[in-house]
């Protein structure tokens, strides 16, 4: 069983939980979207609201994770590696992260993840397109298949890539993916994924943080 002490800084767990009241299996919700969509802020807000209102353990986690494998992903961004190498690092980090998620779910927790496998399909799908063409997403799906747990719902926060870029302009920390043409392709793949998977919930993220949080909380509460 994972205790609060086992959690890294970006993985938070609510306290004051009566574990006997928890149902036998947990629920798994993922937040996705292009850079600047506001998903990290919304995920944090949803975590706080659920923690305050549910008599149940709630975990907020993210990818790249805070493990040494997540550090490898971040290092690869700084040092520069090929899109294929980067893909394999993201998936290695996910394979390990999934085992932590599995334990939380077995323990009856509500797990919220800020990014999961759809990020690899969308971002690395776009990065690999010049090499693999349209096949890139299919290859990424087969690579991820053995290492993921299918989320109960994936909230896809949509904003125009130009708006995302504007929102990011004040941020110090930038990733190499924050280019408008690239983000347009990422956005296209995300929308395709949402069309083919009914567990995706598409959210208009141009509203306020409160509006977006409220919509997601309603969806989660009707699913639990
Ligand atoms: P963040 O800004 O949400 O922390 O994510 C860091 C960057 O990593 C973001 O630009 C998206 C990118 N990313 C991928 O390219 N593939 C992945 O599988 C994940 C999890 C993130």
């Amino acid at each position: 069983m994972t205790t609060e002490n086992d959690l890294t800084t970006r993985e938070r767990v609510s306290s004051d939980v009566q574990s006997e009241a928890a149902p036998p299996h947990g629920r798994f919700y993922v937040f996705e979207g292009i850079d600047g969509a506001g998903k990290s802020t919304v995920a944090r807000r949803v975590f706080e609201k659920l923690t305050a209102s549910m008599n149940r353990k709630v975990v907020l986690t993210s990818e790249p994770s805070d493990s040494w494998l997540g550090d490898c992903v971040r290092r690869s961004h700084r040092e520069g590696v090929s899109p294929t190498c980067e893909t394999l690092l993201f998936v290695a980090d996910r394979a390990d992260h999934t085992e932590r998620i599995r334990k939380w779910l077995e323990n009856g927790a509500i797990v919220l993840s800020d990014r999961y496998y759809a990020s690899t399909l969308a971002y690395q799908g776009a990065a690999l397109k010049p090499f693999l063409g349209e096949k890139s997403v299919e290859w990424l799906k087969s690579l991820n298949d053995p290492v993921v747990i299918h989320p109960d719902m994936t909230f896809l926060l949509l904003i125009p890539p130009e708006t995302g870029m504007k929102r990011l302009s004040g941020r110090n920390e930038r990733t190499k993916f924050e280019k408008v043409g690239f983000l347009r392709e990422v956005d296209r793949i995300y929308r395709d994924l949402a069309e083919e998977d009914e567990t995706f919930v598409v959210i208009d993220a141009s509203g306020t943080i409160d509006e977006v949080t409220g919509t997601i909380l309603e969806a989660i509460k009707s699913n639990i």
Side-chain angles (χ1 to χ4, degrees):
M1 193 171 100
T2 308
T3 66
E4 195 160 354
N5 290 341
D6 296 329
L7 300 171
T8 56
T9 48
R10 289 188 73 189
E11 292 163 350
R12 300 151 187 232
V13 59
S14 55
S15 53
D16 299 333
V17 172
Q18 292 168 16
S19 55
E20 309 90 276
H25 60 86
R27 280 280 187 277
F28 183 26
Y29 303 107
V30 170
F31 297 77
E32 293 282 357
I34 61 167
D35 301 79
K39 69 182 169 39
S40 300
T41 310
V42 169
R44 221 169 21 247
R45 197 69 74 82
V46 169
F47 168 75
E48 286 160 5
K49 296 270 182 199
L50 286 178
T51 300
S53 63
M54 311 274 303
N55 187 22
R56 193 162 165 181
K57 181 156 82 167
V58 186
V59 177
L60 173 61
T61 184
S62 60
E63 289 192 4
S65 82
D66 254 10
S67 74
W68 66 272
L69 286 154
D71 289 342
C72 288
V73 173
R74 282 180 284 274
R75 181 170 172 184
S76 78
H77 283 185
R78 289 194 302 273
E79 305 211 356
V81 293
S82 71
T84 314
C85 178
E86 169 183 275
T87 299
L88 297 172
L89 290 172
F90 274 118
V91 176
D93 181 36
R94 179 160 310 123
D96 185 60
H97 188 212
T98 294
E99 292 317 308
R100 272 173 281 151
I101 293 171
R102 192 187 306 286
K103 288 199 183 102
W104 289 319
L105 293 174
E106 282 169 2
N107 204 24
I110 299 172
V111 180
L112 310 175
S113 186
D114 178 357
R115 297 197 182 281
Y116 196 49
Y117 74 90
S119 282
T120 300
L121 268 43
Y123 280 80
Q124 279 60 58
L128 287 167
K129 198 175 169 196
F131 310 100
L132 299 181
E134 293 297 330
K135 272 194 324 206
S136 67
V137 177
E138 290 313 309
W139 179 64
L140 292 166
K141 280 182 184 168
S142 59
L143 199 60
N144 273 275
D145 218 33
V147 303
V148 299
I149 294 170
H150 203 88
D152 289 290
M153 286 182 172
T154 295
F155 300 107
L156 174 57
L157 274 60
L158 289 182
I159 46 157
E162 294 75 9
T163 311
M165 292 294 293
K166 269 197 212 124
R167 286 188 184 174
L168 292 168
S169 58
R171 226 165 66 172
N172 290 334
E173 218 178 293
R174 305 290 296 269
T175 77
K176 64 178 186 158
F177 298 123
E178 294 165 10
K179 301 201 174 73
V180 77
F182 183 80
L183 290 182
R184 274 197 205 109
E185 182 59 16
V186 173
D187 177 71
R188 186 189 69 79
I189 299 173
Y190 266 139
R191 287 170 192 264
D192 285 352
L193 295 175
E195 290 236 325
E196 65 197 40
D197 184 340
E198 59 182 19
T199 63
F200 271 64
V201 180
V202 173
I203 310 270
D204 174 5
S206 56
T208 65
I209 297 289
D210 281 348
E211 284 164 351
V212 176
T213 303
T215 307
I216 293 176
L217 279 170
E218 253 174 57
I220 290 180
K221 286 185 175 165
S222 67
N223 179 260
I224 279 174

